[in-house]
């Protein structure tokens, strides 16, 4: 669903009329603003890590003499789930893993393979040198990414269930409308049910897209 399609659907849901607004229309801009607000609310839903925003191995950079490596602006956080690791792939294809700790704890690990996310940087407990086997290797991390604001009509809506976004935006759109505000409660109830469904599907761990090779316990590669 694109932003324009979402706005068309919101107007239909809120008013019952199939009205197509132009980008210059004040109502179009209002709906876009509400959609961006609730898109951020979805991203920050308490206790949820959305599988659709997950990348198991994002390349962060190449190991130099530094102990600090900048994260891409779209990286929201680094996963600490079981089986997820920050790692360096050395030039001779060896994988060296690092444990992610809190930034307060990093100082307690002067030796060993430890790192922490500090702001938009991944910081290691020690700098690297040219004699380290890790030097020149590729740095990877399992990450959750954020969402950019919807701006243009053709921008894709990336929440797991766009119908949830349509419904909750329609509810907010009519909340202060004297004629239509009696539907606010019904729309919010519908949106809450759709959110419950999204959370349930997310927790079931169904993966729609596989980034890179995947191997099942039986040994078959996909």
């Amino acid at each position: 669903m694109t932003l324009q399609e979402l706005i068309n659907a919101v107007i239909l849901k809120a008013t019952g009329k199939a009205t197509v607004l132009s980008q210059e229309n004040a109502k179009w801009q209002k709906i876009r603003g509400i959609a961006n607000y609730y898109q951020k609310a979805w991203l920050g839903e308490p206790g949820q890590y959305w599988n659709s925003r997950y990348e198991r191995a994002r390349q962060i950079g190449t190991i130099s003499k530094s102990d600090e490596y900048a994260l891409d602006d779209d990286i929201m956080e680094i996963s600490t789930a079981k089986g997820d690791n920050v790692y360096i792939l050395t030039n001779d294809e060896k994988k060296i893993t690092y444990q992610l700790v809190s930034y307060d704890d990093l100082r307690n690990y002067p030796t060993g393979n430890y790192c922490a996310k500090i702001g938009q940087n991944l910081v290691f407990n020690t700098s690297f040198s040219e004699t380290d086997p890790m030097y020149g290797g590729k740095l990877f991390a399992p990450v959750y990414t954020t969402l950019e604001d919807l701006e243009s009509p053709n921008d894709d809506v990336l929440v797991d269930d766009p119908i949830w976004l349509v419904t909750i935006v329609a509810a907010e759109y009519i909340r202060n409308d004297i004629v239509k505000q009696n539907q606010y409660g019904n729309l919010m109830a519908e949106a809450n049910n759709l959110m419950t469904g999204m959370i349930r599907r997310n927790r079931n761990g169904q993966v729609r897209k596989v980034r890179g090779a995947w191997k099942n316990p039986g040994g078959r590669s996909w």
Side-chain angles (χ1 to χ4, degrees):
M1 177 179 284
T2 65
L3 174 57
Q4 185 64 59
E5 290 169 339
L6 179 136
I7 290 174
N8 295 346
V10 167
I11 289 293
L12 181 61
K13 190 86 171 174
T15 69
K17 298 177 181 178
T19 304
V20 178
L21 302 176
S22 69
Q23 187 174 356
E24 294 73 27
N25 191 293
K27 293 179 180 178
W28 192 100
Q29 293 295 339
K30 177 180 179 179
I31 294 170
R32 183 187 68 85
I34 298 171
N36 281 323
Y37 173 84
Y38 279 106
Q39 184 176 252
K40 289 184 176 72
W42 170 80
L43 192 64
E45 179 70 15
Q48 294 305 307
Y49 293 93
W50 299 107
N51 294 324
S52 58
R53 306 311 305 161
Y54 171 75
E55 290 185 36
R56 188 177 182 87
R58 166 77 72 90
Q59 184 173 348
I60 304 302
T62 302
I63 298 299
S64 62
K65 293 181 180 180
S66 178
D67 63 351
E68 187 172 308
Y69 298 85
L71 299 172
D72 295 334
D73 290 339
D74 68 330
I75 293 177
M76 186 169 62
E77 70 178 285
I78 297 174
S79 172
T80 57
K82 184 177 180 180
D84 281 348
N85 293 108
V86 173
Y87 68 90
I88 297 170
L89 188 64
T90 66
N91 291 329
D92 57 356
E93 298 297 312
K94 291 182 180 178
K95 185 176 178 181
I96 301 174
T97 61
Y98 288 77
Q99 183 176 340
L100 190 73
V101 298
S102 71
Y103 67 89
D104 285 331
D105 285 341
L106 190 61
R107 69 190 70 181
N108 298 324
Y109 298 96
T111 61
N113 294 355
Y114 295 91
C115 60
K117 182 179 180 294
I118 303 177
Q120 279 303 106
N121 292 291
L122 184 62
V123 181
F124 291 84
N125 58 337
T126 184
S127 298
F128 299 93
S129 71
E130 292 183 9
T131 59
D132 290 329
M134 297 80 76
Y135 188 83
K138 297 176 181 178
L139 173 60
F140 293 88
V143 302
Y144 286 94
T145 58
T146 187
L147 290 169
E148 293 184 359
D149 281 351
L150 299 165
E151 297 286 349
S152 302
N154 291 327
D155 286 351
D156 288 326
V157 175
L158 297 178
V159 301
D160 285 6
D161 186 355
I163 302 304
W164 167 80
L165 191 59
V166 168
T167 306
I168 200 164
V169 171
E172 182 65 25
Y173 183 74
I174 67 167
R175 184 166 59 141
N176 297 316
D177 187 307
I178 296 175
V179 176
K180 300 181 180 67
Q181 64 184 189
N182 63 321
Q183 290 300 313
Y184 174 78
N186 293 335
L187 288 171
M188 285 302 296
E190 184 179 344
N192 288 338
N193 286 336
L194 290 168
M195 173 60 80
T196 298
M198 269 196 292
I199 291 172
R200 183 173 59 249
R201 290 190 296 274
N202 189 65
R203 288 177 177 171
N204 285 341
Q206 296 179 356
V207 178
R208 296 185 181 183
K209 293 183 180 179
V210 177
R211 296 181 174 90
W214 179 83
K215 189 173 184 179
N216 71 11
R220 181 178 178 184
S221 295
W222 298 80

